[in-house]
């Protein structure tokens, strides 16, 4: 089912495609907090998350599991994949 109510900007599309490139399997990605350090990229990531096109797959972990250094791992939702296509690694 296509997500026809979500509109995205060209810059959001660029970041969404970048996250797709970093995603090596469903629920796991190499696009981490450190990849969204600039204000512009962080803002785009935040916008994509609000539109439910990406999610932090580590959102349910607490700092203790990461030695107090919590980070985020951004992955495509199925709605996001409908826009940019599924990563090749998804079956």
């Amino acid at each position: 089912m296509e997500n026809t109510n979500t509109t995205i900007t060209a810059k959001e599309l660029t970041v969404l495609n970048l996250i797709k490139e970093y995603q090596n399997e469903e629920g796991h990605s190499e696009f981490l907090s450190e990849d969204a350090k600039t204000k512009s990229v962080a803002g785009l990531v935040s916008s994509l998350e609000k539109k439910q096109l990406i999610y932090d797959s580590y959102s349910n972990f607490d700092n203790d599991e990461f030695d107090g250094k919590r980070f985020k791992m951004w992955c495509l939702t199925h709605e996001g994949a409908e826009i940019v296509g599924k990563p090749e690694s998804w079956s």
Side-chain angles (χ1 to χ4, degrees), residues 53-88:
L53 300 176
I54 63 171
Y55 69 99
D56 173 16
S57 68
Y58 278 10
S59 64
N60 292 327
F61 291 88
D62 61 27
N63 286 346
D64 293 337
E65 295 180 60
F66 297 103
D67 295 325
K69 298 176 184 171
R70 168 87 168 87
F71 66 95
K72 296 181 178 186
M73 177 187 294
W74 299 107
C75 295
L76 295 175
T77 62
H78 287 280
E79 292 80 6
E82 287 177 6
I83 293 172
V84 295
K86 291 182 179 179
E88 289 182 26

